[in-house]
Amino acid sequence: MSSPDPQVRAARNPSDPTPPDPDGGQDSVPAEETPAVAAAPARESSPPARGPVVAVTGAAAGVGAQLTERLAASEQIKQVVAIDERRGECARAQWHVLDVRDPAIAEKLRGVDVVVHLALDLDLETDAAARTAYNVRGTQTVLTAAAAAGVHRVVLCTSAMVYGALSDNELPLSEDAELRATAEATGVGDLLEIERLARRAPRAHPGLNVTVVRPAILVGGTDTALTRYFESPRLLVVAGSRPAWQFCHVDDLCSALEYAVVEKVDGELAVGCDGWLEQEEVEELSGIRRMELPSTVALGAAARLHRIGLTPSPAGDLAYTMYPWVVSVSRLHDAGWRPQWTNEEVLAELLDEVAGRRTVAGRRLGRKDATAAGAAGATVALLGTAALVRRARKARRRL
């Protein structure tokens, strides 16, 4: 769920400007008294700004930057307050530079109506403990600060991965389906904890509405284990698995988040392209051939390589390429929202983005490594590496 992109750590700026005046700072024009014989022309005054004041965390990069630009240009939004650990490029937003875990964020949210919390770190290379500390503590702080500041709605963004990738999943899953994911895939444990915080927050803070948006495989400047799957010279297919592919373009995620901001929808929402692609369709559209392996070989190798630090992706990531986790987007559809992208179009964009990259089991290869691996296929090369590692260990034990 890229997700939302990892945030760059930066020093806080204690001299941040205060939040915008919730009334928009508009000066009223008093009616003028004029003689009955010659009425003076009425002075034109600009209409008052409409819509809510919206704060976006993680606003300097990735999904946060795109949403900030979109909301700042919208006539439905009065003002955008942008929060991040560095200043972004949107000149129309009011910027506050600080870490979302800082309780001082509550002061920056005074006068804000809606908070969209996108400051998440889902980077494959980040230390897992540090990632969890940032994601969970940050969400806790934002929810508590929003309630203290009188914010009436917080929009959180997780991922459809929280439903879990399981062989008995329905196609598509209802948005009300049980969250059956485990913490075995990259960042999913953090997302599940964020989901729990979202459900508890309205009970802990009466009057606070929490909306959760769960995108399918996010594409558009993102880097995740699932986008890296398409950087391999062969698509790994586990024998007996039944994958189904549903994508979500960042543009469509931002439009869905805007729907949540202006209260066209609320509750727990899935977002993505309509329908899905079967594995055979993905292979035909991508032109990448498959490599099929028994599940014991594929899962065992993935687990061992991650354990010894050769790849950033745990074995749990592989389940999301084995079993379906396609979601219905009925709540957004009922509100009038429609995706602007199809699965075929998003896959084509993803392939353009990853062109020239080579990845094996989630680890990007340098140019020299990619050339060496390409002769026999990167997956075969990596499995061969695993065998060499095992032999080396056995040799050391015999010494």
Side-chain angles (χ1 to χ4, degrees), residues 41-219:
R43 291 178 57 188
E44 293 184 1
S45 61
S46 58
R50 295 175 293 174
V53 175
V54 184
V56 179
T57 68
V63 179
Q66 293 190 47
L67 181 65
T68 298
E69 290 283 359
R70 182 186 184 98
L71 296 179
S74 173
E75 294 183 356
Q76 299 183 78
I77 305 302
K78 181 186 293 185
Q79 175 68 46
V80 177
V81 177
I83 298 173
D84 209 321
E85 294 171 47
R86 64 180 177 87
R87 187 183 177 90
E89 297 180 358
C90 183
R92 289 172 291 186
Q94 181 174 17
W95 285 90
H96 296 301
V97 179
L98 80 165
D99 188 318
V100 292
R101 294 170 292 181
D102 188 339
I105 194 173
E107 287 303 313
K108 311 304 182 185
L109 297 180
R110 298 289 179 189
V112 168
D113 301 301
V114 183
V115 175
V116 184
H117 178 49
L118 297 174
L120 296 179
D121 182 353
L122 298 177
D123 192 332
L124 289 170
E125 311 297 338
T126 301
D127 174 75
R131 182 172 58 221
T132 296
Y134 181 77
N135 291 338
V136 176
R137 177 68 181 276
T139 303
Q140 287 175 324
T141 303
V142 167
L143 287 168
T144 302
V151 174
H152 78 268
R153 171 176 292 222
V154 174
V155 180
L156 302 177
C157 187
T158 61
S159 168
M161 293 177 76
V162 296
Y163 291 106
L166 300 155
S167 60
D168 62 347
N169 275 349
E170 295 182 354
L171 276 169
L173 287 162
S174 163
E175 289 164 301
D176 292 325
E178 181 184 357
L179 306 187
R180 298 197 290 163
T182 65
E184 296 173 355
T186 304
V188 173
D190 296 355
L191 299 178
L192 288 170
E193 182 58 30
I194 290 169
E195 293 270 353
R196 284 189 282 270
L197 291 171
R199 292 184 178 182
R200 289 200 296 262
R203 297 195 297 269
H205 308 290
L208 180 66
N209 176 292
V210 179
T211 297
V212 180
V213 179
R214 301 166 180 157
I217 301 172
L218 195 59
V219 174

Side-chain angles (χ1 to χ4, degrees), residues 266-353:
D266 61 10
E268 297 168 347
L269 318 166
V271 57
C273 300
D274 291 331
W276 63 90
L277 299 173
E278 301 287 352
Q279 181 69 27
E280 293 74 16
E281 294 177 285
V282 167
E283 292 169 19
E284 180 179 356
L285 290 166
S286 67
I288 308 174
R289 292 186 294 171
R290 71 166 61 192
M291 166 168 279
E292 190 163 312
L293 294 173
S295 61
T296 52
V297 174
L299 292 168
R304 287 191 295 274
L305 293 170
H306 181 66
R307 187 168 59 248
I308 62 177
L310 287 181
T311 66
S313 296
D317 286 347
L318 201 55
Y320 290 89
T321 70
M322 295 171 59
Y323 302 118
W325 48 290
V326 173
V327 287
S328 164
V329 294
S330 59
R331 287 181 181 148
L332 280 164
H333 271 238
D334 290 346
W337 179 90
R338 295 292 183 274
Q340 299 301 304
W341 292 74
T342 65
N343 282 303
E344 291 84 354
E345 291 168 342
V346 179
L347 176 58
E349 171 140 327
L350 172 57
L351 294 171
D352 285 343
E353 286 187 0

Side-chain angles (χ1 to χ4, degrees), residues 7-22:
Q7 302 304 310
V8 178
R9 306 291 185 261
R12 300 187 191 117
N13 179 1
S15 61
D16 294 332
T18 56
D21 180 354

